[in-house]
Amino acid sequence: MASRPSLSALVILALMTVLLSAAASSSSSLCREKRPMMFNFGDSNSDTGGLVAGLGFPVNLPNGRSFFRRSTGRLSDGLLLIDFLCQSLNTSLLSPYLDSLAGTKFTSGANFAIVGSSTLPKYVPFSLNIQVMQFTHFKARTLELVTAGSDHDLITDRGFGDALYMIDIGQNDIADSFAKNLSYVQVVKRIPSITTEIENAIKALYDQGGRNFWVHNTGPLGCLPQKLSLVENEKLDQYGCISSYNDAAKFFNEALRRLCQKMRTEKKDANIVYVDIYSIKYDLIANSTKYGFSSPLMACCGYGGPPYNYNIKVTCGQPGYQVCDEGSRFLSWDGIHYTEAANSIVASKVLSTAYSTPRLNFDFFCSS
């Protein structure tokens, strides 16, 4: 299953490294006066260990093998997109809010994202509104301690106001709708309810003093090896992805883009950046050989071999799994989530601002 990166892929990887390093250098100069603080809300795409901490659910090796050399609860072989974004600011990686043994005072923020999270149904652990409620409690308790003078390193009220609030959710809402055998039309009809919950979350965080928001749209759901292995008799596009799933993702993304645009008009003192993750990830699939990925629709860690190497009964880290050689170039880690190699490219493109509306640098909140 191993594949050797081509010369062009190595050149691209080197360029990505330069871009990430340049972003980190630029960001550190802007953030020197202010400690960058971030609060993240989302699902498994940005969960840095919340599922393990919150429910004790096992996430075993080989997850985490590439960077951490152990499992940290991230569903990847290494760093996630959010980790690379933190590195670009020269700040510590975000610890899960629920991790009591993280050894942190959350002085740079906290991560509320949990594997499997969605916007609906509400009040189900760990839906988006529950994550926002957790943040509200976290902020109130932190400010209590600050007022009591218990620790000068804790985040102040001004710190919460200056922080960046990141939201990356919606993929599970769409995927779960299709999993319930809803038609494309029925799935699309549910999308306004999903974006309403995201709007409610932004408004709630705004009411808590948040003014800087960074909102990711969802990626090409129909290109995930998991979906391709489970769905039959669906029309595939020219790159082998499920057309209806991707069309639903694009419909959601357009609704989310319009929402961000509307809220920028309503909240004139807020910065609300919409980031087109879909275009970045679809480009990786459509031009996979350019980036050195020879099997963009096959999981590195799974079971069953080509074309998808995914079996829902033998998932990555569970007894019987098979994994590609470390250092080989795969886009998909486990059939749902991306490899560190892919995440690094996504991060460099996000940091370029080419996919952001408005085109603010990721470190914009440091200089606000």
Coordinates of all heavy atoms in Angstrom, one line a residue, residues 36-110:
P36 N -2.2 35.2 22.0 CA -3.3 34.8 21.2 C -4.2 33.8 21.9 O -3.7 32.8 22.5 CB -2.6 34.1 19.9 CG -1.3 33.8 20.4 CD -0.9 34.8 21.5
M37 N -5.5 34.0 21.9 CA -6.4 33.1 22.6 C -7.5 32.7 21.6 O -8.0 33.5 20.8 CB -7.1 33.9 23.8 CG -6.1 34.3 24.8 SD -6.9 35.2 26.1 CE -5.5 35.9 26.9
M38 N -7.8 31.4 21.6 CA -8.8 30.8 20.7 C -9.7 29.9 21.4 O -9.3 29.2 22.3 CB -8.0 30.1 19.6 CG -7.2 31.0 18.7 SD -6.4 30.1 17.3 CE -5.1 29.3 18.3
F39 N -10.9 29.9 21.0 CA -11.9 28.9 21.5 C -12.5 28.3 20.2 O -13.0 29.0 19.3 CB -13.0 29.7 22.3 CG -12.4 30.3 23.5 CD1 -12.1 31.6 23.6 CD2 -12.2 29.5 24.7 CE1 -11.5 32.2 24.7 CE2 -11.6 30.1 25.8 CZ -11.3 31.4 25.8
N40 N -12.5 27.0 20.2 CA -12.9 26.2 19.1 C -14.2 25.4 19.4 O -14.3 24.7 20.4 CB -11.8 25.3 18.6 CG -12.2 24.5 17.3 OD1 -12.4 25.2 16.3 ND2 -12.4 23.2 17.4
F41 N -15.1 25.3 18.4 CA -16.3 24.6 18.5 C -16.5 23.8 17.3 O -16.4 24.3 16.2 CB -17.5 25.5 18.7 CG -17.3 26.5 19.8 CD1 -16.6 27.7 19.6 CD2 -17.8 26.3 21.1 CE1 -16.5 28.6 20.7 CE2 -17.7 27.2 22.1 CZ -17.0 28.3 21.9
G42 N -16.8 22.5 17.4 CA -16.9 21.7 16.2 C -17.0 20.2 16.5 O -17.5 19.7 17.5
D43 N -16.6 19.4 15.5 CA -16.7 18.0 15.5 C -15.3 17.3 15.4 O -14.3 17.9 15.8 CB -17.6 17.5 14.4 CG -17.2 18.1 13.0 OD1 -16.0 18.2 12.8 OD2 -18.1 18.3 12.1
S44 N -15.3 16.1 14.9 CA -14.0 15.4 14.9 C -12.9 16.0 14.0 O -11.7 15.7 14.2 CB -14.2 13.9 14.4 OG -14.8 13.9 13.1
N45 N -13.3 16.9 13.1 CA -12.3 17.5 12.2 C -11.4 18.4 13.1 O -10.3 18.8 12.6 CB -12.9 18.3 11.1 CG -13.6 17.4 10.1 OD1 -12.9 16.5 9.6 ND2 -14.8 17.7 9.8
S46 N -11.8 18.8 14.2 CA -11.0 19.7 15.1 C -10.9 19.3 16.5 O -10.5 20.0 17.4 CB -11.5 21.2 15.0 OG -12.8 21.3 15.4
D47 N -11.4 18.0 16.8 CA -11.3 17.5 18.2 C -9.9 17.1 18.5 O -9.3 16.2 17.9 CB -12.2 16.3 18.3 CG -12.3 15.7 19.7 OD1 -11.5 16.1 20.6 OD2 -13.1 14.8 20.0
T48 N -9.3 17.7 19.6 CA -7.9 17.4 19.9 C -7.9 16.5 21.2 O -6.8 16.4 21.8 CB -7.2 18.7 20.2 OG1 -7.9 19.5 21.2 CG2 -7.0 19.6 19.0
G49 N -8.9 15.8 21.4 CA -9.0 14.8 22.5 C -10.2 14.9 23.4 O -10.2 14.2 24.4
G50 N -11.2 15.6 22.9 CA -12.4 15.8 23.8 C -13.2 14.5 23.9 O -13.8 14.3 25.0
L51 N -13.3 13.7 22.9 CA -14.1 12.5 23.0 C -13.5 11.6 24.1 O -14.2 11.0 24.9 CB -14.1 11.8 21.7 CG -14.9 10.4 21.7 CD1 -16.4 10.6 21.9 CD2 -14.6 9.6 20.4
V52 N -12.2 11.4 24.0 CA -11.5 10.5 25.0 C -11.7 11.1 26.4 O -12.0 10.3 27.4 CB -10.0 10.4 24.7 CG1 -9.3 9.6 25.7 CG2 -9.9 9.7 23.3
A53 N -11.5 12.4 26.6 CA -11.6 13.0 27.9 C -13.1 13.0 28.4 O -13.3 12.8 29.6 CB -11.1 14.4 27.8
G54 N -14.0 13.2 27.5 CA -15.4 13.4 27.9 C -16.1 12.1 28.2 O -17.0 12.0 29.1
L55 N -15.8 11.1 27.3 CA -16.6 9.8 27.4 C -15.7 8.6 27.7 O -16.2 7.5 27.8 CB -17.3 9.6 26.1 CG -18.4 10.6 25.8 CD1 -19.1 10.3 24.4 CD2 -19.5 10.7 26.8
G56 N -14.4 8.8 27.6 CA -13.5 7.7 27.8 C -13.4 6.7 26.7 O -12.9 5.6 26.8
F57 N -13.9 7.2 25.5 CA -13.9 6.3 24.3 C -12.5 6.1 23.8 O -11.8 7.1 23.7 CB -14.8 7.0 23.2 CG -15.1 6.1 22.1 CD1 -16.2 5.3 22.1 CD2 -14.2 6.1 21.0 CE1 -16.5 4.5 21.0 CE2 -14.5 5.3 19.9 CZ -15.6 4.5 19.9
P58 N -12.1 4.9 23.6 CA -10.7 4.7 23.2 C -10.4 5.1 21.8 O -11.1 4.8 20.8 CB -10.6 3.1 23.3 CG -12.0 2.6 23.1 CD -12.9 3.6 23.7
V59 N -9.4 5.8 21.6 CA -8.8 6.2 20.3 C -7.3 5.7 20.4 O -6.5 6.3 21.0 CB -8.9 7.7 20.0 CG1 -8.1 8.0 18.7 CG2 -10.3 8.1 20.0
N60 N -7.1 4.5 19.8 CA -5.8 3.9 19.9 C -4.8 4.2 18.8 O -5.2 4.8 17.8 CB -6.1 2.3 19.9 CG -7.1 1.9 20.9 OD1 -7.0 2.3 22.1 ND2 -8.0 1.0 20.6
L61 N -3.6 3.9 19.1 CA -2.6 3.9 18.0 C -3.1 2.9 16.9 O -3.8 2.0 17.2 CB -1.2 3.4 18.5 CG -0.4 4.4 19.3 CD1 0.8 3.7 20.0 CD2 0.2 5.4 18.3
P62 N -2.8 3.2 15.6 CA -1.8 4.2 15.1 C -2.2 5.6 15.1 O -1.5 6.4 14.5 CB -1.5 3.6 13.7 CG -2.8 3.0 13.3 CD -3.4 2.4 14.5
N63 N -3.4 6.0 15.6 CA -3.7 7.4 15.6 C -2.6 8.1 16.4 O -2.3 7.7 17.5 CB -5.1 7.6 16.3 CG -6.2 7.1 15.5 OD1 -6.6 7.7 14.5 ND2 -6.8 6.0 15.9
G64 N -2.1 9.2 15.8 CA -1.1 10.0 16.5 C 0.3 9.6 16.2 O 1.2 10.2 16.8
R65 N 0.5 8.6 15.4 CA 1.9 8.0 15.3 C 2.9 8.9 14.7 O 4.1 8.9 15.0 CB 1.8 6.7 14.4 CG 1.5 6.9 12.9 CD 1.6 5.7 12.1 NE 1.4 5.9 10.7 CZ 1.4 5.0 9.8 NH1 1.5 3.7 10.1 NH2 1.3 5.3 8.5
S66 N 2.5 9.8 13.8 CA 3.4 10.6 13.0 C 4.0 11.8 13.8 O 5.2 12.0 13.6 CB 2.8 11.2 11.7 OG 2.4 10.1 10.9
F67 N 3.3 12.5 14.6 CA 3.8 13.6 15.2 C 4.0 13.4 16.7 O 5.0 13.7 17.3 CB 2.8 14.8 15.0 CG 3.3 16.1 15.7 CD1 4.2 16.9 15.1 CD2 2.8 16.5 16.9 CE1 4.7 18.1 15.7 CE2 3.3 17.7 17.6 CZ 4.2 18.4 16.9
F68 N 2.9 12.9 17.4 CA 3.0 12.7 18.8 C 3.6 11.4 19.3 O 4.0 11.3 20.4 CB 1.5 12.8 19.4 CG 0.8 14.0 19.0 CD1 -0.1 14.1 17.9 CD2 1.0 15.2 19.8 CE1 -0.7 15.3 17.6 CE2 0.4 16.4 19.5 CZ -0.5 16.4 18.4
R69 N 3.7 10.4 18.4 CA 4.2 9.1 18.7 C 3.4 8.4 19.7 O 3.8 7.4 20.3 CB 5.7 9.2 19.2 CG 6.6 10.1 18.4 CD 6.6 9.9 16.9 NE 6.9 8.6 16.4 CZ 7.0 8.2 15.2 NH1 6.7 9.1 14.2 NH2 7.3 7.0 14.8
R70 N 2.2 8.8 19.9 CA 1.2 8.2 20.8 C -0.2 8.8 20.4 O -0.3 9.8 19.7 CB 1.5 8.5 22.2 CG 1.4 10.0 22.6 CD 1.7 10.2 24.1 NE 1.6 11.7 24.4 CZ 0.4 12.2 24.8 NH1 -0.7 11.5 24.9 NH2 0.4 13.5 25.0
S71 N -1.2 8.1 20.8 CA -2.5 8.6 20.6 C -2.9 9.8 21.5 O -2.7 9.6 22.7 CB -3.6 7.5 20.7 OG -4.9 8.1 20.6
T72 N -3.4 10.9 21.0 CA -3.8 12.0 21.8 C -5.3 12.2 21.7 O -5.8 13.2 22.2 CB -3.1 13.3 21.4 OG1 -3.5 13.5 20.0 CG2 -1.6 13.2 21.5
G73 N -6.0 11.3 21.1 CA -7.4 11.4 20.9 C -7.8 12.0 19.6 O -9.0 12.1 19.2
R74 N -6.8 12.5 18.8 CA -7.1 13.1 17.5 C -7.3 11.9 16.5 O -6.6 11.0 16.6 CB -5.9 13.9 17.1 CG -5.7 15.2 17.8 CD -4.3 15.8 17.5 NE -4.1 17.1 18.0 CZ -3.8 17.4 19.3 NH1 -3.7 16.4 20.2 NH2 -3.7 18.7 19.7
L75 N -8.2 12.1 15.6 CA -8.5 11.1 14.6 C -7.7 11.5 13.4 O -8.2 12.0 12.4 CB -10.0 11.0 14.3 CG -10.8 10.5 15.5 CD1 -12.3 10.4 15.1 CD2 -10.4 9.2 16.0
S76 N -6.4 11.2 13.5 CA -5.4 11.4 12.4 C -4.1 10.7 12.8 O -4.0 10.3 14.0 CB -5.2 12.9 12.2 OG -4.2 13.1 11.2
D77 N -3.2 10.6 11.9 CA -1.9 10.1 12.3 C -1.1 11.1 13.0 O 0.0 10.8 13.5 CB -1.2 9.5 11.0 CG -1.0 10.6 10.0 OD1 -1.8 11.5 9.9 OD2 0.0 10.5 9.2
G78 N -1.5 12.4 12.9 CA -0.7 13.5 13.5 C -1.5 14.7 13.8 O -2.6 14.7 14.4
L79 N -1.0 15.8 13.3 CA -1.6 17.1 13.5 C -2.8 17.3 12.7 O -2.9 16.9 11.5 CB -0.6 18.2 13.2 CG 0.7 18.3 14.1 CD1 1.7 19.3 13.5 CD2 0.3 18.7 15.5
L80 N -3.8 18.0 13.3 CA -5.0 18.5 12.6 C -4.8 19.9 12.0 O -3.9 20.6 12.4 CB -6.2 18.5 13.6 CG -6.5 17.2 14.4 CD1 -7.7 17.4 15.3 CD2 -6.7 16.0 13.4
L81 N -5.8 20.3 11.2 CA -5.7 21.7 10.7 C -5.6 22.7 11.8 O -4.8 23.6 11.8 CB -7.0 21.9 9.9 CG -7.3 23.4 9.5 CD1 -6.1 23.9 8.7 CD2 -8.6 23.5 8.7
I82 N -6.4 22.5 12.9 CA -6.4 23.5 14.0 C -5.1 23.5 14.7 O -4.6 24.6 15.1 CB -7.6 23.1 15.0 CG1 -7.7 24.3 16.0 CG2 -7.3 21.8 15.7 CD1 -8.9 24.1 16.9
D83 N -4.4 22.4 14.7 CA -3.0 22.4 15.3 C -2.1 23.2 14.5 O -1.3 24.0 15.0 CB -2.5 20.9 15.4 CG -3.3 20.1 16.3 OD1 -3.7 20.6 17.4 OD2 -3.6 18.9 16.0
F84 N -2.1 23.1 13.1 CA -1.3 23.9 12.3 C -1.6 25.4 12.4 O -0.7 26.2 12.4 CB -1.4 23.4 10.8 CG -0.7 22.2 10.5 CD1 -1.4 21.0 10.2 CD2 0.7 22.1 10.5 CE1 -0.7 19.8 9.9 CE2 1.4 20.9 10.2 CZ 0.7 19.8 9.9
L85 N -2.9 25.7 12.6 CA -3.2 27.1 12.7 C -2.7 27.6 14.0 O -2.2 28.8 14.1 CB -4.8 27.2 12.7 CG -5.4 26.9 11.3 CD1 -6.9 27.1 11.4 CD2 -4.8 27.7 10.2
C86 N -2.7 26.8 15.1 CA -2.1 27.3 16.4 C -0.6 27.4 16.2 O -0.1 28.4 16.7 CB -2.4 26.2 17.5 SG -4.1 26.2 18.1
Q87 N 0.0 26.5 15.5 CA 1.5 26.6 15.3 C 1.8 27.9 14.5 O 2.9 28.5 14.8 CB 2.0 25.4 14.6 CG 2.1 24.2 15.4 CD 2.8 23.0 14.7 OE1 2.9 23.0 13.4 NE2 3.2 22.0 15.4
S88 N 0.9 28.3 13.6 CA 1.2 29.5 12.8 C 1.3 30.8 13.7 O 1.8 31.8 13.3 CB 0.1 29.7 11.7 OG -1.1 30.2 12.3
L89 N 0.7 30.7 14.9 CA 0.7 31.8 15.9 C 1.8 31.6 16.9 O 1.9 32.5 17.8 CB -0.7 31.9 16.5 CG -1.9 32.1 15.7 CD1 -3.2 32.1 16.5 CD2 -1.8 33.5 14.9
N90 N 2.5 30.6 16.8 CA 3.5 30.3 17.8 C 2.9 30.1 19.2 O 3.5 30.6 20.2 CB 4.7 31.3 17.8 CG 5.7 31.1 16.7 OD1 5.7 30.0 16.1 ND2 6.4 32.1 16.4
T91 N 1.7 29.6 19.3 CA 1.1 29.4 20.6 C 0.9 27.9 20.8 O 1.1 27.1 19.9 CB -0.3 30.1 20.6 OG1 -0.8 30.1 21.9 CG2 -1.3 29.4 19.7
S92 N 0.5 27.5 22.0 CA 0.4 26.1 22.3 C -0.8 25.5 21.6 O -1.8 26.2 21.3 CB 0.2 25.9 23.8 OG -0.9 26.7 24.3
L93 N -0.8 24.2 21.4 CA -2.0 23.5 20.8 C -3.1 23.6 21.8 O -2.9 23.5 23.0 CB -1.6 22.1 20.5 CG -0.4 21.9 19.6 CD1 -0.3 20.4 19.3 CD2 -0.5 22.7 18.3
L94 N -4.4 23.7 21.3 CA -5.5 23.8 22.2 C -5.8 22.5 22.9 O -5.9 21.5 22.3 CB -6.8 24.2 21.4 CG -6.8 25.7 20.9 CD1 -8.2 26.0 20.3 CD2 -6.6 26.7 22.1
S95 N -6.0 22.6 24.2 CA -6.4 21.4 25.0 C -7.9 21.3 25.0 O -8.6 22.3 25.0 CB -5.8 21.5 26.4 OG -4.4 21.5 26.4
P96 N -8.4 20.0 25.1 CA -9.8 19.8 25.2 C -10.4 20.4 26.6 O -9.7 20.2 27.6 CB -10.0 18.3 25.2 CG -8.7 17.8 24.6 CD -7.7 18.8 25.0
Y97 N -11.5 21.1 26.5 CA -12.1 21.7 27.7 C -12.4 20.6 28.7 O -12.2 20.9 29.9 CB -13.4 22.3 27.3 CG -14.4 22.6 28.4 CD1 -14.0 23.6 29.3 CD2 -15.6 22.0 28.5 CE1 -14.9 23.9 30.4 CE2 -16.5 22.3 29.5 CZ -16.1 23.2 30.5 OH -17.0 23.5 31.5
L98 N -12.7 19.4 28.3 CA -13.1 18.3 29.3 C -11.9 17.5 29.8 O -12.1 16.7 30.7 CB -14.1 17.4 28.6 CG -15.4 18.0 28.2 CD1 -16.3 16.9 27.4 CD2 -16.2 18.4 29.5
D99 N -10.7 17.8 29.4 CA -9.6 17.0 29.8 C -9.0 17.6 31.2 O -8.3 18.5 31.2 CB -8.5 17.1 28.8 CG -7.4 16.0 29.0 OD1 -7.4 15.4 30.2 OD2 -6.6 15.8 28.1
S100 N -9.4 16.9 32.2 CA -9.0 17.3 33.6 C -7.5 17.1 33.9 O -7.0 17.6 34.8 CB -9.8 16.5 34.7 OG -9.6 15.1 34.5
L101 N -6.9 16.3 33.1 CA -5.5 16.0 33.3 C -4.6 16.6 32.2 O -3.5 16.1 31.9 CB -5.2 14.5 33.3 CG -5.9 13.7 34.5 CD1 -5.7 12.2 34.4 CD2 -5.4 14.3 35.8
A102 N -5.1 17.6 31.5 CA -4.4 18.2 30.4 C -3.1 19.0 30.9 O -2.3 19.3 30.1 CB -5.3 19.1 29.6
G103 N -3.1 19.3 32.2 CA -2.0 20.1 32.7 C -1.9 21.5 32.2 O -0.9 22.1 32.0
T104 N -3.1 22.1 31.9 CA -3.2 23.5 31.4 C -4.1 24.3 32.2 O -5.1 23.7 32.8 CB -3.6 23.5 30.0 OG1 -3.7 24.8 29.5 CG2 -4.9 22.8 29.8
K105 N -3.9 25.6 32.3 CA -4.9 26.5 32.9 C -5.7 27.2 31.8 O -6.4 28.2 32.0 CB -4.1 27.5 33.7 CG -3.4 27.0 34.9 CD -2.7 28.0 35.7 CE -1.9 27.4 36.9 NZ -1.2 28.4 37.7
F106 N -5.6 26.7 30.6 CA -6.3 27.2 29.4 C -6.0 28.7 29.2 O -6.9 29.5 28.9 CB -7.8 27.0 29.6 CG -8.2 25.5 29.7 CD1 -8.5 25.0 30.9 CD2 -8.2 24.7 28.6 CE1 -8.9 23.6 31.0 CE2 -8.6 23.3 28.7 CZ -8.9 22.8 29.9
T107 N -4.8 29.0 29.4 CA -4.4 30.4 29.2 C -4.4 30.9 27.8 O -4.4 32.1 27.5 CB -3.0 30.7 29.8 OG1 -2.1 29.8 29.2 CG2 -3.0 30.5 31.3
S108 N -4.4 30.0 26.8 CA -4.5 30.3 25.4 C -5.8 30.0 24.8 O -5.9 30.0 23.6 CB -3.3 29.6 24.6 OG -2.1 30.0 25.1
G109 N -6.8 29.6 25.6 CA -8.1 29.2 25.1 C -8.4 27.8 25.4 O -7.7 27.1 26.2
A110 N -9.4 27.3 24.7 CA -9.9 25.9 25.0 C -10.6 25.4 23.8 O -11.1 26.1 22.9 CB -10.8 25.8 26.2

